[in-house]
Amino acid sequence: WGAGPLHGINTVVTAGPTYEALDPARGFTNRSSGKMGYALAAALANQGAAVTLISGPTALPAPAGVRRIAVTSARQMRDAVWACRGAMDLFVAAAAVADYRPQTVLADKLKKDADTLTVTLVRNPDILAEVAALTPRPFTVGFAAETGDVETKARAKRARKGIDLIVANPIDEAGVGFAGDDNRVILIDKDHAGAWAAAPKTEIARALVREIIKRLPRTASP
Ligand code: C5P
């Protein structure tokens, strides 16, 4: 790992969607591309952090200097994060984790016999909330993809999950959010909220890393 302001900071970044299988051919997922999380992992590594990127299924190459662990489901992502918990100074949760998974994964492909089909979903673990509840805990950064009054919803989410910093982004605006290269974010900590202009995700990642560096308690040895 290189030198830089984050030298010696063990960082875990989650990115991408999760995929929750229903049968061998099908499952539930979402529109996350992973671009924001991958850009953050790259920007953190560029500042010297030791970055483990725990990624759901994406089409993206692993950024240089980053250790990538590929996972599929939310529970696999949680287990991979959990395995890092003993040495984690910074946790950035950029993954779009599925909130629910099918209660049963069918061994055989589901047949279209019935006219209607009901699938029971059960809650997945909230990885970010679990990490935020650790003692001692890493500096925690979460994302909040929201529609409508993004700032109010994200402020409430930051407080509820007990995290240090939340990056809110609207997903009901053209050109920003899930799949695209650009994003528009509102950065919220316990004291204020600041709205940033829309910009490429790579640029937003670099600016977010500067904000993290400003706030991070120094745990690294000199
Ligand atoms: O509550 P919501 O899913 O909107 O919170 C979003 C934030 O929480 C993101 O940072 C996401 O990565 C994280 N999260 C998580 N595990 C979940 C759900 C969300 O880590 N099961």
Side-chain angles (χ1 to χ4, degrees):
W1 317 103
L6 293 177
H7 178 70
I9 300 293
N10 289 313
T11 302
V12 174
V13 179
T14 64
T18 66
Y19 176 88
E20 312 296 330
L22 173 63
D23 74 13
R26 311 176 182 101
F28 294 86
T29 187
N30 61 64
R31 293 174 53 218
S32 168
S33 65
K35 284 176 187 168
M36 192 67 243
Y38 275 58
L40 270 162
L44 288 159
N46 276 333
Q47 296 303 314
V51 180
T52 301
L53 172 62
I54 300 174
S55 174
T58 73
L60 303 172
V66 164
R67 175 169 76 116
R68 178 169 61 176
I69 299 174
V71 297
T72 302
S73 67
R75 285 193 296 175
Q76 288 171 354
M77 185 173 278
R78 187 246 180 222
D79 289 348
V81 170
W82 215 233
C84 299
R85 75 186 180 284
M88 207 195 304
D89 305 308
L90 170 61
F91 180 60
V92 181
V97 184
D99 292 322
Y100 295 90
R101 66 178 181 277
Q103 186 165 39
T104 338
V105 182
L106 304 170
D108 293 311
K109 192 176 167 206
L110 191 66
K111 294 292 173 204
K112 51 175 178 298
D113 302 326
D115 287 337
T116 63
L117 173 67
T118 303
V119 177
T120 301
L121 302 174
V122 295
R123 280 288 285 270
N124 269 328
D126 188 321
I127 305 167
L128 177 56
E130 286 186 6
V131 169
L134 289 169
T135 23
R137 68 175 174 119
F139 189 85
T140 47
V141 183
F143 277 74
E146 303 286 1
T147 55
D149 185 352
V150 173
E151 184 178 324
T152 303
K153 290 177 184 172
R155 276 181 188 277
K157 187 166 292 183
R158 194 203 66 78
R160 190 173 63 245
K161 296 203 189 203
I163 61 179
D164 296 294
L165 201 56
I166 198 152
V167 187
N169 67 293
I171 52 168
D172 52 359
E173 279 182 21
V176 294
F178 273 131
D181 287 324
D182 291 357
N183 211 351
R184 190 174 76 71
V185 304
I186 304 170
L187 187 66
I188 300 167
D189 67 13
K190 71 178 189 349
D191 303 318
H192 22 28
W196 295 4
K201 287 177 179 174
T202 48
E203 227 172 80
I204 288 183
R206 284 195 292 270
L208 283 173
V209 170
R210 284 196 291 274
E211 295 298 327
I212 290 169
I213 290 170
K214 275 194 228 161
R215 292 170 171 84
L216 195 68
R218 295 304 305 182
T219 50
S221 44

